[in-house]
Amino acid sequence: MVFESESEYETEPDDDTRRLLLRHMLVSRGIDEEAHQLQKQGALDLWPSCRGQEAAQVGSALAAGPESTVFPSYREHAVALMRGVTPVELFAQWAGRTYCGWDPHRMRFLPYTLVLAAQTLHAVGYSVGQRLQGREDLVVVYVGDGATSEGDMSEAMNLAAVESASVLFVCQNNGWAISKPAAEQMRTSVAERARGFGIESAWVQGRDPETVFSACSRAVAHVREERAPFLVEIQVGRINGHSTSDAQEVYRSRDDITRTRAADPVAAYAAQLSDTGVVDTAWLDSVNAELRVLREQLIKEYA
Ligand SMILES: Cc1ncc(C[n+]2csc(CCOP(=O)(O)OP(=O)(O)O)c2C)c(N)n1
Ligand SMILES: [Mg+2]
């Protein structure tokens, strides 16, 4: 299944949902910018930016809902914030203070996993284990395009298919594994690969949060109704380098970087909702005020 526009879905978000999507995207963007600044000042050791991937993260997290259990990779900051992880908790790991700044059990948002794709097996194992205990919570696991080359991902997909585990795989394909282009790592899409394992899948463009939200809502319904896994591959743009330690200008063309910046999902969605009257200046001001408080807390704690 390839879905490129929201009109292909029956589940269209209402205006409250639209505002929620934009609010979370704006907050995530502001926190990401603060992380960059603090890292440049030496307050954080490292930061893997999610700039450009906000629509994918917010749309998928909203569709999965607060009752799901989420196994993230290491770039899902928008998802973390939506789960209730505070920005101060989120930064603790990147400031080298702790292995994980939040309570993974209470948040049902597991620690970031830097060993690529290891979390895919954790997620499937967790899902199989909870079924043995009579529970059937939705499990969501995030993975990058490069991480899908790891054997763990193939094992996890096969196990999920064989066990018919209630797992939603969300692959954010940002086109890069640090400096390795996705095109040099795979001959088919990740969505197509999932079907080879017997997992239903969809591919969506990740610039528009409504498209992502609708696709993921359908995927979640599939997992719940069929008690079977589903994989959504979301094509996103990585605006910044892999992390603050990476100079993407070395291996990426200026045109490519410029194009990706121009396709910024946050700016596009903010403009769309303003133009259609879904949000007004007062609403945007209130989100900015909220963000200012969060950024001031971060500066107080880390700068
Ligand atoms: C098992 C393992 N091998 C190599 C690395 C080094 N490494 C860290 S991030 C990364 C690229 C991952 O790319 P992708 O999965 O596409 O995620 P993205 O960073 O683009 O979100 C690599 C190779 C690692 N962390 N773990
Ligand atoms: Mg990648």
Side-chain angles (χ1 to χ4, degrees):
M1 286 188 272
V2 175
F3 301 121
E4 297 210 47
S5 78
E6 109 203 38
S7 59
E8 293 175 61
Y9 300 94
E10 65 266 0
T11 47
E12 211 182 297
D14 57 21
D15 283 350
D16 282 340
T17 306
R18 292 190 168 102
R19 280 186 284 271
L20 209 53
L21 287 165
L22 180 59
R23 181 196 168 278
H24 288 301
M25 288 169 75
L26 289 168
V27 170
S28 161
R29 173 60 58 91
I31 298 300
D32 196 84
E33 281 172 358
E34 193 56 53
H36 254 261
Q37 289 186 13
L38 286 169
Q39 203 284 326
K40 294 288 168 241
Q41 293 166 28
L44 301 186
D45 300 317
L46 184 75
W47 182 254
S49 170
C50 68
R51 196 179 180 98
Q53 303 188 197
E54 293 91 345
Q57 296 191 9
V58 169
S60 58
L62 201 64
E67 299 305 319
S68 53
T69 302
V70 179
F71 288 73
S73 183
Y74 47 77
R75 202 185 287 286
E76 283 73 41
H77 313 312
V79 184
L81 295 168
M82 286 175 73
R83 299 297 301 211
V85 174
T86 67
V88 169
E89 289 172 334
L90 183 65
F91 283 19
Q93 173 176 13
W94 306 101
R97 291 188 185 177
T98 168
Y99 157 58
C100 175
W102 58 89
D103 179 343
H105 295 289
R106 193 169 59 81
M107 314 308 289
R108 297 170 82 177
F109 185 78
L110 277 287
Y112 276 158
T113 304
L114 278 85
V115 180
L116 295 180
Q119 75 278 11
T120 60
L121 278 171
H122 302 163
V124 178
Y126 176 92
S127 177
V128 171
Q130 69 161 3
R131 185 175 286 168
L132 291 172
Q133 297 174 341
R135 288 188 293 122
E136 199 67 34
D137 304 343
L138 173 72
V139 172
V140 184
V141 58
Y142 285 87
V143 69
D145 48 286
T148 70
S149 298
E150 293 287 339
D152 279 8
M153 177 66 174
S154 293
E155 287 180 46
M157 285 198 287
N158 192 49
L159 188 63
V162 166
E163 294 288 340
S164 198
S166 294
V167 175
L168 173 65
F169 292 87
V170 178
C171 176
Q172 291 177 86
N173 185 342
N174 62 13
W176 297 94
I178 312 183
S179 55
K180 185 82 171 167
E184 291 178 20
Q185 292 218 50
M186 54 188 92
R187 290 284 175 259
T188 65
S189 67
V190 179
E192 208 173 328
R193 202 188 318 160
R195 267 170 254 141
F197 285 95
I199 296 180
E200 293 236 9
S201 65
W203 182 97
V204 281
Q205 187 52 257
R207 187 170 174 233
D208 173 28
E210 296 183 22
T211 305
V212 175
F213 173 74
S214 301
C216 290
S217 297
R218 283 172 45 150
V220 165
H222 175 94
V223 173
R224 290 218 167 103
E225 284 158 22
E226 306 294 324
R227 293 189 166 202
F230 198 98
L231 182 143
V232 181
E233 178 178 3
I234 311 174
Q235 193 69 42
V236 291
R238 192 192 76 188
I239 291 178
N240 287 328
H242 170 74
S243 73
T244 44
S245 297
D246 177 43
Q248 64 176 348
E249 296 75 15
V250 172
Y251 57 83
R252 214 175 153 183
S253 75
R254 195 186 297 235
D255 272 3
D256 181 26
I257 296 172
T258 307
R259 259 198 315 273
T260 309
R261 282 205 184 115
D264 179 357
V266 178
Y269 199 51
Q272 183 189 321
L273 295 201
S274 295
D275 291 350
T276 50
V278 177
V279 300
D280 58 16
T281 315
W283 185 90
L284 288 165
D285 287 348
S286 75
V287 176
N288 279 332
E290 194 187 331
L291 194 49
R292 209 169 313 122
V293 172
L294 294 174
R295 290 181 74 150
E296 277 162 11
Q297 283 169 355
L298 285 167
I299 292 165
K300 210 165 134 213
E301 181 68 31
Y302 290 102

